[in-house]
Amino acid sequence: MKISVLKERQPGETRVAATPETVKKLVGLGHTVTVESGAGTVAGFPDPSFAEAGATVVDGPAAAAGADIVFKVRRPLPDEVAALPEGAALIALMEPFAFPASEIAALNAKKIAALSMEFTPRITRAQSMDALSSQSNLAGYRAVIEGAQIYGRAMPMMMTAAGTIAPAKVFVMGVGVAGLQAIATARRLGAVVTATDVRPAAKEQVASLGAKFIAVEDDEFKAAETAGGYAKEMSPEYQAKQAALTASHIAKQDIVITTALIPGRPAPVLITEEMVKSMKPGAVIVDMAVTQGGNCPLSKADEIVDVNGVKVAGFSNLPARLPADSSSLFAKNLLAFIPLITAEGGAINLDTDDEIVKAMLLTRNGATVSERLKS
């Protein structure tokens, strides 16, 4: 089948949905690959590298012409949808819970089979396809790097003849994939790290990375994880108790990283304005949930807000700040998924009962098929 890789046009998006490595493997599997010119330039993959891997490089959206499958990192903008071949499959991070009805209708008008990488089930067989995890892992790393840069002081303890520099204190709020990587990165940089999460399983994970766990461990805490491994939204009563516990802790921290997200819901508020004002000048908050409203109400997307000397940073696309690595991992997620929709002889096959494919399908044959989008 023909696979087309299109250039990203969302503002600030530096990633690409294929790399020369994955293109070579797709060609080896018998597929034809077309890459839009300039698609990988910012990520460090120039057009000649794709050509050498066996792809055909084509200028502009015409690269999608005749495609059976279109690869993108982010869902296409309306003008990009117009250039998609009718009936093609589209695989990308579709941001399904923020999908305007008009854009869904545009996909259905062209009978596009849209598959959302965010809906990859959290099962063992799908781990190699889990783009949310691959991108969150890099985002957690980058959040600490950004926080350390804004903080502007040394992270590890340093003992010199002129005196001793105390290690930075880093507090990670939310211990999913991003949070665990943030803990590991801050520890590698020499910081004293504490962390909190509403999921009981996180306590052992935090300890295994050499950090200290902080949480209200009541009965609600013990049942605060969904079957899919995500954190449940906690009751207002629990949130109040947790806020009281963390308020005094936050006041002593140098860098706070917040990562708490609930699929399809606004991000929970973890750090109030009062807590921010209790922090010492020079402290930093990196709000990784800013695109869903933020874990701190003072954060603004892609801005650093100064609150009495405390810097509140909201980065809406941290993986795009590591384009080569994030592109490489995302491209491998797509490569792992392709065999699930490849029929004998190399043709595309979406008529399958595979639970992974069924979970990821949003639209097909002019209709919205995802129950999660309908609800």
Side-chain angles (χ1 to χ4, degrees):
M1 58 189 165
K2 180 180 178 180
I3 299 172
S4 291
V5 182
L6 300 187
K7 185 176 181 179
E8 299 301 313
R9 288 173 169 79
Q10 297 262 13
E13 186 53 73
T14 61
R15 293 171 289 179
V16 61
T19 64
E21 178 187 356
T22 61
V23 164
K24 186 175 182 179
K25 290 179 179 178
L26 288 168
V27 171
L29 292 171
H31 304 303
T32 300
V33 181
T34 300
V35 177
E36 182 178 352
S37 180
T41 302
V42 179
F45 306 114
D47 290 348
S49 66
F50 285 110
E52 290 169 9
T56 300
V57 179
V58 176
D59 288 334
D68 299 301
I69 297 178
V70 174
F71 283 175
K72 279 186 61 62
V73 176
R74 306 275 294 279
R75 76 165 180 259
L77 297 170
D79 60 335
E80 293 179 274
V81 173
L84 296 178
E86 185 164 339
L90 167 68
I91 313 175
L93 292 166
M94 299 295 292
E95 302 167 72
F97 293 118
F99 212 148
S102 60
E103 294 186 28
I104 296 175
L107 291 176
N108 282 331
K110 301 202 73 170
K111 297 183 179 180
I112 301 296
L115 295 110
S116 177
M117 294 298 285
E118 291 97 331
F119 282 175
T120 305
R122 286 200 161 180
I123 58 177
T124 301
R125 188 166 63 90
Q127 285 181 345
S128 62
M129 310 163 203
D130 188 351
L132 278 184
S133 291
S134 72
Q135 301 305 291
S136 293
N137 190 58
L138 289 169
Y141 163 81
R142 188 69 190 194
V144 174
I145 300 302
E146 296 287 352
Q149 190 275 329
I150 297 168
Y151 180 53
R153 299 183 183 182
M155 293 288 278
M157 174 183 282
M158 293 186 180
M159 301 180 71
T160 75
T164 299
I165 297 173
K169 296 176 182 176
V170 176
F171 184 36
V172 179
M173 305 185 76
V175 189
V177 174
L180 288 170
Q181 185 56 247
I183 292 169
T185 302
R187 286 281 296 157
R188 285 193 291 266
L189 290 175
V192 174
V193 185
T194 52
T196 188
D197 196 282
V198 298
R199 296 173 299 114
K203 183 176 182 178
E204 186 176 338
Q205 294 170 331
V206 167
S208 71
L209 292 171
K212 183 179 179 181
F213 188 71
I214 295 173
V216 175
E217 300 184 42
D218 60 10
D219 289 339
E220 185 175 357
F221 170 80
K222 295 174 183 176
E225 187 170 352
T226 69
Y230 294 99
K232 290 182 180 178
E233 185 170 16
M234 306 301 282
S235 69
E237 293 76 16
Y238 182 89
Q239 291 180 34
K241 288 188 287 185
Q242 181 71 0
L245 174 67
T246 59
S248 60
H249 186 68
I250 283 176
K252 305 170 188 174
Q253 302 305 301
D254 298 307
I255 299 174
V256 180
I257 312 287
T258 69
T259 74
L261 287 170
I262 302 167
R265 303 289 295 275
V269 174
L270 303 181
I271 302 178
T272 64
E273 183 174 350
E274 183 180 357
M275 291 179 188
V276 175
K277 291 179 178 178
S278 76
M279 299 176 74
K280 54 196 172 186
V284 177
I285 297 169
V286 179
D287 190 344
M288 294 181 64
V290 69
T291 55
Q292 286 182 221
N295 297 140
C296 176
L298 299 178
S299 64
K300 295 182 180 180
D302 300 313
E303 292 187 27
I304 298 175
V305 179
D306 190 312
V307 184
N308 299 331
V310 177
K311 303 296 195 302
V312 183
F315 297 102
S316 62
N317 192 350
L318 283 163
R321 292 172 177 261
L322 295 163
D325 290 328
S326 54
S327 296
S328 178
L329 294 184
F330 185 75
K332 289 177 181 177
N333 294 143
L334 292 174
L335 179 66
F337 175 71
I338 282 297
L340 300 186
I341 56 172
T342 303
E344 190 173 344
I348 187 171
N349 175 31
L350 292 173
D351 295 314
T352 172
D353 290 327
D354 191 287
E355 61 181 314
I356 298 174
V357 178
K358 291 174 70 175
M360 292 170 61
L361 263 174
L362 302 183
T363 62
R364 191 184 179 202
N365 295 329
T368 301
V369 298
S370 173
E371 294 299 325
R372 296 177 73 178
L373 276 189
K374 293 178 184 178
S375 59

